[in-house]
Amino acid sequence: MQLRSDWSRREVVDASALDWVPSPAAGVERKMLERDGDEVARATSIVRYAPGSRFDSHVHALGEELFVLDGEFCDQTGRYGPGSYIRNPPGSSHAPWSDTGCVLFVKLRYFDPDDLARVVVHTREEPWLPGLVPGLSVMPLHDFRTAHTALVRWAPNTYFNPHRHYGGEEILVVEGTFEDEHGRYPAGSWIRSPHLSQHKPFSREGCIILVKTGHLITDAEAAA
């Protein structure tokens, strides 16, 4: 299956407009944002667990990255409420479930094979750091080589400088409304911009976005 899998193309998806698609596990559904492969795939999805649903134990050969949007996600390592950020490295395994039900943002098979650290950040308990312009706050979540992941909080009427993204940029709007010269993106929007793309972002309303940069680069682009 190929769905928005060409990293050279800019993509914008309103996840609220997508249908839920059943997964192999009863009670677990997905909204597919991008996918390259069939059931084993490099993929980005919104995943919903019904209360009491669970997945059988499985291995993540190329890693799994999670952000809990709502409810409580559970596995053998603990219970993770809204705002939890989890990275399960290549070769890790678990049998996840949710007693209450939950909604997750999930990325599969995006890890550098050398990125073997497990990371858990409870973002609602961590401090925000000052950003590069007034009104902008940043919470770093993970860095490895060219790839960087963070939560970014925009106060109302915050404007950032024009800038270019080496290795591309991926954004999930968690709260509020994010904007740039290309459009307006309410909560639930997913935006992927290619290697060396440029924009001038701002937020009139204020927002929180989950941002990942530097991971959308091919070997040929890195060597250029």
Side-chain angles (χ1 to χ4, degrees):
M1 180 180 181
Q2 302 289 318
L3 177 66
R4 306 183 192 96
S5 58
D6 183 354
W7 290 352
S8 69
R9 295 177 57 88
R10 183 175 186 268
E11 299 284 1
V12 178
V13 178
D14 176 4
S16 67
L18 297 180
D19 294 329
W20 290 103
V21 178
S23 80
V28 182
E29 301 172 299
R30 303 172 286 197
K31 291 187 175 186
M32 298 184 181
L33 301 175
E34 62 95 19
R35 197 171 189 88
D36 185 4
D38 296 318
E39 194 49 47
V40 177
R42 187 190 74 214
T44 303
S45 310
I46 305 293
V47 178
R48 180 173 68 182
Y49 282 65
S53 59
R54 63 180 56 241
F55 250 103
D56 292 337
S57 181
H58 56 278
V59 176
H60 293 291
L62 291 177
E64 175 189 55
E65 185 175 22
L66 306 171
F67 186 79
V68 182
L69 297 168
D70 187 46
E72 185 180 65
F73 174 77
C74 309
D75 66 11
Q76 303 94 307
T77 64
R79 294 175 174 268
Y80 305 97
S84 298
Y85 173 79
I86 306 156
R87 289 178 64 87
N88 294 316
S92 60
S93 65
H94 65 166
W97 75 92
S98 180
D99 295 322
T100 61
C102 63
V103 179
L104 316 170
F105 177 71
V106 181
K107 293 187 69 65
L108 297 173
R109 302 178 72 86
Y110 265 90
F111 278 46
D112 185 302
D114 294 330
D115 185 2
L116 298 176
R118 185 170 188 269
V119 177
V120 176
V121 181
H122 299 286
T123 66
R124 296 192 175 181
E125 302 171 6
E126 293 295 319
W128 292 93
L129 306 178
L132 294 176
V133 298
L136 202 69
S137 303
V138 179
M139 186 183 298
L141 300 176
H142 180 262
D143 296 288
F144 190 84
R145 294 179 178 162
T146 65
H148 309 279
T149 307
L151 276 182
V152 182
R153 183 174 64 188
W154 300 66
N157 296 311
T158 297
Y159 292 78
F160 201 71
N161 304 316
H163 58 281
R164 191 179 300 276
H165 294 289
Y166 180 88
E169 178 189 57
E170 182 179 349
I171 290 172
L172 178 73
V173 183
V174 178
E175 297 179 14
T177 301
F178 176 73
E179 301 176 73
D180 64 12
E181 67 270 37
H182 305 297
R184 185 173 182 272
Y185 316 103
S189 299
W190 177 77
I191 309 114
R192 190 188 68 205
S193 301
H195 175 53
L196 298 182
S197 58
Q198 181 173 317
H199 70 159
K200 184 179 181 180
F202 58 95
S203 181
R204 285 174 284 210
E205 176 184 320
C207 64
I208 295 176
I209 59 176
L210 180 64
V211 182
K212 192 174 183 68
T213 61
H215 62 302
L216 302 170
I217 185 166
T218 65
D219 292 340
E221 288 170 331

